[in-house]
Every structure is written in structure tokens, then in C-alpha cells.
């Protein structure tokens, strides 16, 4: 089943290279077309990552050339400095220039990725001990705010440490991950989307949400970012505690998905026939749970439980949520939600959903793990 689903995805991607031209897909808006932009959104790296995955899988120069063009575009983005105002530099450059470094050992791609890591370091706030997700330094609402999504940006810093042995990258990533573990993960293994701290002192204020159902709810994509983010940080930092946190979040996720194994947009949203799904949350969680399961000892009874959960959710995504067989649709996965709360693409394609869907398929079919860590060093420092 995985192989056929990958073949379908390769076809869609091949057509999308022409359809998108040099532009970048973000989300759809109620139809079967992606809204395109000139590499201005936080999501542009996912298109690059899809192209690198297709290139690795097929060795077809068509995908590689398109992937390299996206990296060139990311060089331009760095020069334009249009990435200053948020933390998603990790998403952007891990899957574009870092992917090229991982696949081809291209020195210019390595230099660009290190520049991106330095850019992300500018969002570290020593006074409060956190990486500021959104807004400018001192911003009244966002200056002392962390969000769980940031965990996927940390591998950029941890990779930079691996490359340079500059301790500062690792220190910052570790402190931020530890703070996230302490304040975003709750005792019942659910999670806050965001948490506020006093900007001057770092004193904890309260948990909250941005895209979830309410401040105390568990936004499913946030939980998925937590599963994969803590699993990746634990790989780099060799932290048993963080690995255990990833496992806890994974257990919660698996226990709370509905019968068809694909998550609603928030675990606490009332469930009716109208409740939206977030297929992207299930795709991200699948990648994170695979990252966990593959590192568990084969005798660990939870290993098979995790692998079965991935099998179930991916089979459901392929059969019930993917666009397989369609020649006109531009997305790989239907029924993603950007923000149900904000009414922003609540039941649409979202390019990160497509990326993680393909990453999970390629892990399952060929053991290609995406571009969050360097396979040669295995992310171990
Ligand atoms: N990282 C932004 C989102 O998941 O919507």
C-alpha cells in the first residue's frame, strides 16, 4: 500500500513542479488549488522537503533540479531578511538547505543552514530563558511566550552544534526544550499549545492557546509537534527524560483519536458530524511515533503497539484522506486544518500535512527519515 501511495504522490508532485512554477504552496482555500507565494510564508520549506524526498526516492534529476531551485530561492530569502519576525527558521531551512547538505554534502548549503541557525539564535531571550516564537523583542503579548511548535525548530540549532561544536547552539536548544517539557506538558500527558512567562524575570504566568479550542484544551497538532519534537531533541541530546516525554505524548495521542485513527483538530472540541479533522496532525504524529518506535528495544512491548498505531493511522490517511487517483488535485492529503478557531483553511490541503505524510510513507517503505537529523552522525553528539 505504501509504495502505491508514494507513486501517486510522485505523480502529483511532478505535475505541481510545472503548476507552481517558482512559487511556494501554503494552504488551499476551499478548492483543489494551493495558494502560492514567493517564499514569504513559514511553510515554504515543506515544498522543498517534498522535492528532496522525491529526489532521494527516485534519483530522478527532475525532482533534484526543482529542489535545488528552491534552495537557491531560500538563499534569496536569507538576503531579503524576511524571516526575522518568527521562529520558524528551523522549519524553513531544515527541509531546504539542510536537506541538500544531508543528501549531497553541498558546502554552500551547509553555510546557508548555519546562517539560518544564527538567525534563529537571535530569537533567544536570556532574561526569560526562551526562544521567542512570534513578534519583535519586547512585544507585549508575545515577548515571553513559547509555543509547542518550536520544538521542531530546535533540530536546526542542534545540527549547528554538531557541525561547529559551538556550545551556545546546544545550550539554547536544551534550555528551551527543557522549559517546554516542564511547562507545556501536563500531568495527564496532554499539552498546552503555548505558555506565557514574564519577559524580565522568566517567571511562569500561564498556559494558553492560539489555534486550539480553548486555553486548557489539547490542540492535536500541538500534541503532534510535541511527540516529534521531543523525540528529535532526545536523539540529539541523548536525553532519556525527553524520550519518555515523547512516549507519554504519543500514548495520549493514540488513546484519543477516533475510530478511523485520524485526529479531530482538537482533542477537547465537542465531536459532532461537523467537527473538522486535522489530517496533518496525524501525519506529523506518525513520523514522531515512528521515530520513537524505531529507537525502542525490539523486546519493549510498547514498540509493536506504536508501530500498529502508525500502521492504522497511515492506512486510514492513504485510503480515506489522500487524493490518490486524482489528476487535478494539487494536494496529497485532504482535511487538514490550519486554524479552525481562526476560520483559516479549516478543511483544506496544508503543505506541511503533505510533507509529513510523504515523510512517513518513505520511512515505512524505504527507511528515508526526512531531514531533521544527519543520518551519517545519526544525530548523536
Ligand atoms: N507551526 C504552525 C502551525 O502548526 O500552525
Amino acid at each position: 500500500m505504501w509504495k502505491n501511495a508514494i507513486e501517486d504522490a510522485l505523480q502529483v508532485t511532478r505535475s505541481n513542479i510545472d503548476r507552481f512554477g517558482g512559487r511556494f504552496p501554503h494552504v488551499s482555500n476551499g478548492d483543489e488549488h494551493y495558494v502560492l507565494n514567493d517564499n514569504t510564508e513559514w511553510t515554504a520549506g515543506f515544498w522543498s522537503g517534498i522535492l528532496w524526498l522525491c529526489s532521494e526516492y527516485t534519483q530522478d534529476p527532475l525532482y533534484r533540479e526543482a529542489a535545488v531551485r528552491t534552495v537557491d530561492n531560500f538563499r534569496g530569502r536569507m538576503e531579503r531578511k524576511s524571516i526575522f519576525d518568527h521562529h520558524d527558521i528551523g522549519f524553513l531551512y531544515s527541509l531546504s538547505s539542510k536537506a541538500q547538505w544531508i543528501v549531497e554534502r553541498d558546502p554552500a548549503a551547509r553555510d546557508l543552514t548555519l546562517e539560518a541557525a544564527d538567525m534563529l539564535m537571535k530569537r533567544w531571550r536570556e532574561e526569560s530563558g526562551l526562544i521567542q516564537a512570534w513578534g519583535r523583542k519586547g512585544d507585549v503579548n508575545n515577548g515571553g511566550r513559547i509555543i509547542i511548535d518550536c520544538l521542531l525548530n530546535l533540530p536546526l540549532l542542534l545540527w549547528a552544534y554538531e557541525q561547529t561544536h559551538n556550545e551556545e547552539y546546544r545550550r539554547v536548544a536544551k534550555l528551551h526544550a527543557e522549559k517546554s517539557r516542564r511547562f507545556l506538558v501536563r500531568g495527564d500527558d496532554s499539552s498546552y499549545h503555548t505558555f506565557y512567562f514574564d519577559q524580565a524575570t522568566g517567571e511562569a504566568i500561564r498556559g494558553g492557546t492560539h489555534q486550539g479550542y480553548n486555553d486548557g484544551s489539547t490542540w492535536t497538532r500541538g500534541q503532534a509537534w510535541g511527540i516529534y519534537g521531543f523525540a528529535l531533541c532526545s536523539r540529539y541530546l541523548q536525553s532519556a527524560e525527553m524520550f519518555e516525554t515523547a512516549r507519554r505524548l504519543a500514548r495520549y495521542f493514540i488513546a484519543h483519536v477516533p475510530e478511523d485513527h485520524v485526529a479531530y483538530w482538537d482533542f477537547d472540541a465537542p465531536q459532532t458530524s461537523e467537527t473538522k479533522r486535522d489530517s496533518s496532525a496525524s501525519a506529523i504524529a506518525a513520523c514522531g511515533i515512528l521515530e520513537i518506535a524505531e529507537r525502542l528495544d525490539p523486546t519493549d512491548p510498547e514498540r509493536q503497539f506504536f508501530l500498529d498505531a502508525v500502521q492504522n493511522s497511515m492506512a486510514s490517511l492513504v485510503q480515506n484522506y489522500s487524493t490518490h487517483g486524482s489528476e487535478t488535485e494539487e494536494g496529497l492529503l485532504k482535511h487538514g486544518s490550519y486554524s479552525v478557531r481562526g476560520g483559516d483553511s479549516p478543511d483544506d490541503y496544508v503543505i506541511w500535512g503533505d510533507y509529513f505524510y510523504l515523510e512517513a510513507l518513505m520511512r515505512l517503505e524505504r527507511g528515508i527519515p526526512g531531514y531533521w537529523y544527519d543520518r551519517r552522525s545519526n544525530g548523536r553528539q
Side-chain angles (χ1 to χ4, degrees), residues 72-177:
D72 288 342
N73 199 305
F74 271 96
R75 204 161 277 117
R77 182 167 180 160
M78 184 65 75
E79 282 160 15
R80 291 196 302 277
K81 307 282 182 221
S82 62
I83 49 172
F84 268 135
D85 58 349
H86 61 71
H87 65 151
D88 288 320
I89 302 156
F91 280 116
L92 292 168
Y93 284 84
S94 291
L95 301 180
S96 54
S97 54
K98 178 146 73 70
Q100 187 174 14
W101 165 253
I102 288 172
V103 176
E104 304 187 338
R105 286 298 190 258
D106 180 284
R110 176 181 180 273
D111 290 349
L112 178 60
T113 315
L114 287 173
E115 222 181 306
D118 289 340
M119 196 71 83
L120 180 53
M121 288 291 282
K122 290 184 202 289
R123 300 200 63 86
W124 172 249
R125 307 289 176 247
E126 193 69 44
E127 314 75 34
S128 43
L130 55 84
I131 292 172
Q132 183 180 336
W134 299 315
R136 295 194 175 265
K137 189 169 185 184
D139 181 285
V140 178
N141 282 324
N142 294 311
R145 189 178 194 187
I146 62 171
I147 72 170
I148 198 162
D149 323 28
C150 188
L151 290 162
L152 266 284
N153 289 313
L154 302 183
L156 177 65
L157 300 183
L158 293 163
W159 171 86
Y161 168 70
E162 188 178 80
Q163 290 295 316
T164 62
H165 302 291
N166 177 345
E167 213 13 90
E168 200 51 12
Y169 295 121
R170 188 176 190 276
R171 182 182 79 88
V172 160
K174 186 164 183 282
L175 285 172
H176 187 88

Side-chain angles (χ1 to χ4, degrees), residues 180-232:
S180 302
R181 198 175 86 81
R182 180 158 172 224
F183 291 99
L184 292 171
V185 180
R186 295 183 286 235
D188 66 353
D189 305 343
S190 66
S191 55
Y192 284 117
H193 181 195
T194 82
F195 208 99
Y196 296 88
F197 299 87
D198 184 292
Q199 291 189 49
T201 65
E203 191 186 332
I205 301 173
R206 68 172 180 92
T209 197
H210 181 64
Q211 279 143 288
Y213 179 64
N214 62 32
D215 278 341
S217 73
T218 300
W219 178 52
T220 48
R221 191 158 71 251
Q223 187 86 5
W225 291 136
I227 296 169
Y228 204 6
F230 283 117
L232 290 167

Side-chain angles (χ1 to χ4, degrees), residues 212-265:
Y213 179 64
N214 62 32
D215 278 341
S217 73
T218 300
W219 178 52
T220 48
R221 191 158 71 251
Q223 187 86 5
W225 291 136
I227 296 169
Y228 204 6
F230 283 117
L232 290 167
C233 288
S234 76
R235 174 187 277 272
Y236 275 108
L237 296 166
Q238 296 180 43
S239 160
E241 274 182 343
M242 271 178 214
F243 190 64
E244 182 50 29
T245 304
R247 280 175 86 159
R248 287 173 49 208
L249 293 171
R251 284 180 206 128
Y252 187 96
F253 196 100
I254 295 164
H256 289 80
V257 288
E259 246 174 42
D260 79 347
H261 308 284
V262 173
Y264 288 107
W265 68 282

